[in-house]
Amino acid sequence: MEGLVAAERRLLEAQRRGDVEALDELLHPDVVAIGPDGATFTKEDDLDAYRSGALRITSLVERSVEVRDDGPSGVSRTVVDVEAVQGGAPAAARFGYTRLWVVADGRWQVLAAAFGPVEARDDPGAAPGRSPG
């Protein structure tokens, strides 16, 4: 089984490419995600956004990845710069993702996630005293 850092990076790559098949493998059937506005999303909500083209990521650049795992579960904290087209409108932001991962069907899968905008001071990948932009 791959390590949790590798699973997190595989998820980022699947998001970047809009790879619904890979996302389907990486998201637990019961996953629940909370977005910046407090809205909740299921696995099907997420997959449907990619399938329909309602969400198309044009750039996703990893700023930092931190993981902690205890074998059957783990948590990742990832900061990325994202450019996307959502609902036909372009958008760009730095997001922090916190994900709860579990081992299911012999592989890491995301069971819960929350994400929202991150300011430079909240970004563990930013150098002290420097603006990351």
Side-chain angles (χ1 to χ4, degrees):
M1 182 175 69
E2 70 185 333
L4 186 49
V5 171
E8 177 69 29
R9 288 193 169 131
R10 200 158 66 90
L11 179 66
L12 294 175
E13 184 60 26
Q15 291 174 319
R16 184 181 296 115
R17 291 189 334 258
D19 185 340
V20 173
E21 186 176 313
L23 290 167
D24 188 37
E25 289 180 10
L26 289 158
L27 300 176
H28 190 278
D30 297 324
V31 67
V32 176
I34 300 173
D37 62 354
T40 59
F41 304 91
T42 66
K43 178 176 181 171
E44 282 308 310
D45 293 335
D46 196 43
L47 296 180
D48 285 347
Y50 284 97
R51 278 187 200 114
S52 69
L55 173 61
R56 187 172 47 85
I57 294 177
T58 56
S59 175
L60 189 148
V61 178
E62 176 188 307
R63 301 283 297 172
S64 63
V65 174
E66 297 177 33
V67 300
R68 292 192 181 21
D69 73 80
D70 69 355
S73 64
V75 174
S76 63
R77 168 85 171 130
T78 303
V79 176
V80 295
D81 291 332
V82 179
E83 294 177 17
V85 177
Q86 187 166 17
R94 175 165 294 160
F95 282 118
Y97 290 84
T98 301
R99 295 184 177 99
L100 170 64
W101 293 79
V102 295
V103 175
D105 297 328
R107 65 183 182 274
W108 286 111
Q109 294 183 339
V110 179
L111 182 59
F115 68 100
V118 176
E119 295 184 29
R121 71 184 186 321
D122 297 325
D123 180 354
R130 280 192 41 210
S131 170

